[in-house]
Amino acid sequence: MKKIFSLFCAALMSVAVMADHYIAGSFTNWATDQVAMTAIEGTTCSKATIDIQETDEYGYVQFKVVDGAWYGLGTGAAMENTRFGWGLSNRNSDDSGDADNISLHVATKGEYTFIYNYDVNGDQTYAKTISVIFPNTQFVAAGSEGLFGSDWSATDTNNQLTDTDDDLVYSLVKEGVELAEGNYEFKVVANSDWDNAAFPGSNKTIAIAKSGIYDVTITFNVLTQAVTAEAELKEEAVVL
């Protein structure tokens, strides 16, 4: 699983847009053709994963996205691994000639996923955005004990969401859960830290109209921050 720092991609599109995008930086000796980014299907985003083991003496690497021009940050601000391992501030990129390199603080050596959103408004009129997913983030669904087997536990890895097809949509499937009629609340928590606003904020609710046995599916889309939950009735409870 992975750590996430800021920035999210644009609204989903029905067809992936293909483009030639690359990551170039100190980890590629600034060669522009070594690390190609691949399109994330159904979005205006491309991504590349790089195993970063070497940094400068301060623990940073420098990089830009190459998309016909060199996209960096005009502010000189660094992308930091926050104490939550999850940031929400936007980082719009800048292709002006004097845009700074992007500084990335490598607190944990390992695989970093770079996400480049090249069409924020759907018409390429708005600044591009660049995101970085840090190593070792975990997402856990925490909520009502009747559904999750533990009472609002952000550390219960039995309820950990996983990205099974590498599309940055994490999911948890709980099969054969006996649920009584009523509402079951939950949140998706990043890195077992409730100070992370129990991402993504307010409680979500799964409404159970009939008591019975259910298969429950919870998803969290990293690109859009959307959390969904579905409960499929498999066997209705017998009323005596």
Side-chain angles (χ1 to χ4, degrees):
M1 303 288 286
K2 301 170 180 177
K3 266 187 182 175
I4 293 184
F5 183 89
S6 73
L7 302 194
F8 307 98
C9 293
L12 300 182
M13 299 175 63
S14 59
V15 179
V17 179
M18 303 300 292
D20 293 328
H21 305 140
Y22 298 86
I23 288 287
S26 55
F27 38 75
T28 68
N29 292 320
W30 293 101
T32 62
D33 58 353
Q34 288 187 6
V35 182
M37 307 186 81
T38 57
I40 302 174
E41 185 177 358
T43 75
T44 61
C45 301
S46 294
K47 69 173 182 175
T49 299
I50 301 172
D51 186 4
I52 298 179
Q53 297 294 327
E54 301 294 332
T55 68
D56 65 18
E57 60 182 312
Y58 303 105
Y60 287 85
V61 294
Q62 307 285 322
F63 75 96
K64 286 184 178 180
V65 170
V66 183
D67 178 14
W70 289 79
Y71 280 81
L73 292 180
T75 63
M79 284 183 162
E80 294 283 353
N81 178 10
T82 69
R83 68 187 180 94
F84 307 136
W86 177 267
L88 296 179
S89 60
N90 286 331
R91 296 281 193 208
N92 291 334
S93 64
D94 182 354
D95 67 346
S96 63
D98 59 354
D100 293 338
N101 295 339
I102 302 171
S103 295
L104 173 66
H105 185 211
V106 180
T108 302
K109 294 179 180 179
E111 291 189 343
Y112 285 73
T113 297
F114 297 80
I115 303 172
Y116 174 54
N117 181 6
Y118 47 90
D119 194 8
V120 175
N121 275 350
D123 57 6
Q124 296 191 350
T125 60
Y126 190 72
K128 314 298 189 280
T129 58
I130 298 168
S131 315
V132 178
I133 299 180
F134 290 75
N136 304 325
T137 289
Q138 292 183 337
F139 295 108
V140 169
S144 305
E145 184 174 5
L147 174 57
F148 294 102
S150 56
D151 187 31
W152 290 95
S153 173
T155 60
D156 187 348
T157 55
N158 291 319
N159 299 313
Q160 183 172 320
L161 284 71
T162 58
D163 179 8
T164 57
D165 51 8
D166 201 32
D167 61 354
L168 302 182
V169 177
Y170 290 76
S171 62
L172 168 68
V173 179
K174 300 188 73 67
E175 296 180 330
V177 182
E178 184 176 356
L179 297 174
E181 177 183 343
N183 294 326
Y184 295 81
E185 293 190 338
F186 74 97
K187 291 182 179 181
V188 173
V189 187
N191 300 322
S192 305
D193 193 334
W194 287 106
D195 287 335
N196 187 9
F199 189 82
S202 59
N203 292 356
K204 300 294 181 181
T205 300
I206 301 174
I208 300 299
K210 298 179 179 180
S211 299
I213 306 299
Y214 285 82
D215 288 348
V216 178
T217 301
I218 294 170
T219 63
F220 167 49
N221 188 322
V222 168
L223 301 179
T224 64
Q225 299 176 266
V227 173
T228 64
E230 296 181 356
E232 181 182 0
L233 178 61
K234 308 300 290 188
E235 181 180 341
E236 192 171 342
V238 176
V239 179
L240 299 178

